[in-house]
Amino acid sequence: DKLAKTIDKYDRTLQVDEVFICSWEHLDDPIVWFWKLKSAGINWRIIPTNLNLPVRWSEIAMVGEFPAIRFCTSAIVGVDFWCKRLFDLVVSVFLLLLLSFPMLSIALAIKLDSPGSIFYKQTRVGLNNKHFQVWKFRTMVENASQLQQELEAKNEIKGGILFKIKDDPRITKVGKFLRRYSLDELPQLINVLLGEMSLVGPRPLPVRDVEKLSENHAIRHEVLPGITGLWQVSG
């Protein structure tokens, strides 16, 4: 009776078009309520709030007499993959031409700041678990990899899965500036040209970190790694 009175009240005052029912199982006689709603000119929808589904885009369709939920596949396979690849090629070439002078200036600053090579290449894990050399401007001293073993005890990441410490002593003066504005990542446009990376995607992890991650993270290797991704733009 309460529901019926509420329906009549809402129909007169607010002109309700639809009612969303979240607790279908608590309706004593759903056919009666369906008739009351339809008689009042109100449509109804059932929201299965108790059904826990993965956070992913999906659609509901009828298969015979049964409602079925279909999860859509990733939009970066087949033709979509090659469209994204073409976009990566065009934009990376344009950016390399546009940023050629700033990149030359950065290379000169690195050379004057500390002895060693201009670029730093590290083995990362990419698409289909293939290893490749990621390109970056060098932001650390030349023997940074050897010094990392001595600094493992200061790792701030819980569980030691990833390696990160505040005020890393291995970072050079120019390196701090480059890292602050992510300028050290610019040479990865070369990786994009080589087809090893994409402009947007999950960041490629070092072999050390991948070996410590759980199998749940393996799905990141089903797509091309990227120069930037959701984590980076989210701060």
Side-chain angles (χ1 to χ4, degrees):
D1 293 336
K2 283 186 177 181
L3 181 57
K5 292 178 181 178
T6 303
I7 292 171
D8 293 336
K9 179 182 177 182
Y10 281 176
D11 183 46
R12 290 193 305 269
T13 59
L14 299 180
Q15 298 181 347
V16 174
D17 296 318
E18 287 187 322
V19 170
F20 294 86
I21 298 177
C22 302
S23 302
W24 165 267
E25 66 277 7
H26 295 302
L27 292 178
D28 296 331
D29 198 340
I31 300 300
V32 173
W33 300 125
F34 171 73
W35 178 253
K36 289 181 180 294
L37 287 166
K38 293 301 291 184
S39 299
I42 302 174
N43 295 318
W44 71 339
R45 295 176 185 265
I46 298 173
I47 301 179
T49 55
N50 294 329
L51 183 60
N52 295 321
L53 297 173
V55 181
R56 188 169 182 179
W57 192 88
S58 60
E59 64 179 7
I60 298 177
M62 296 299 294
V63 179
E65 299 179 354
F66 302 97
I69 299 174
R70 183 174 70 90
F71 293 99
C72 295
T73 57
S74 174
I76 46 178
V77 294
V79 175
D80 292 324
F81 174 86
W82 292 110
C83 288
K84 189 172 190 291
R85 178 68 187 134
L86 179 61
F87 174 84
D88 286 339
L89 283 172
V90 173
V91 175
S92 58
V93 169
F94 172 77
L95 289 176
L96 282 172
L97 293 174
L98 181 66
L99 300 172
S100 57
F101 180 74
M103 291 178 71
L104 286 173
S105 301
I106 291 173
L108 180 61
I110 293 172
K111 202 67 178 176
L112 295 175
D113 181 51
S114 64
S117 60
I118 295 172
F119 297 104
Y120 170 73
K121 292 191 289 184
Q122 185 185 45
T123 302
R124 300 287 180 101
V125 183
L127 180 64
N128 297 325
N129 293 303
K130 291 183 179 179
H131 293 189
F132 70 98
Q133 296 291 311
V134 68
W135 287 65
K136 300 180 71 173
F137 280 123
R138 182 174 61 85
T139 59
M140 292 185 173
V141 294
E142 190 69 15
N143 62 336
S145 298
Q146 290 77 17
L147 293 175
Q148 179 176 330
Q149 298 178 0
E150 302 175 10
L151 297 171
E152 285 284 356
K154 297 182 180 180
N155 191 0
E156 297 175 357
I157 303 298
K158 188 176 181 180
I161 297 177
L162 305 178
F163 183 82
K164 186 176 182 180
I165 59 175
K166 188 178 180 180
D167 298 326
D168 195 325
R170 301 173 299 165
I171 302 176
T172 63
K173 293 180 180 179
V174 172
K176 289 182 180 180
F177 175 81
L178 297 178
R179 287 193 171 201
R180 183 177 182 180
Y181 298 101
S182 299
L183 297 176
D184 57 317
E185 311 288 355
L186 290 178
Q188 288 168 35
L189 292 170
I190 299 173
N191 292 112
V192 176
L193 286 178
L194 296 175
E196 298 167 332
M197 292 181 62
S198 177
L199 293 172
V200 179
R203 288 294 295 160
L205 296 178
V207 177
R208 169 208 175 273
D209 296 344
V210 172
E211 290 176 348
K212 292 191 175 185
L213 288 173
S214 65
E215 293 182 359
N216 294 333
H217 291 267
I219 194 171
R220 70 187 296 134
H221 302 131
E222 297 297 320
V223 296
L224 280 173
I227 295 179
T228 186
L230 181 61
W231 192 3
Q232 285 68 41
V233 299
S234 299

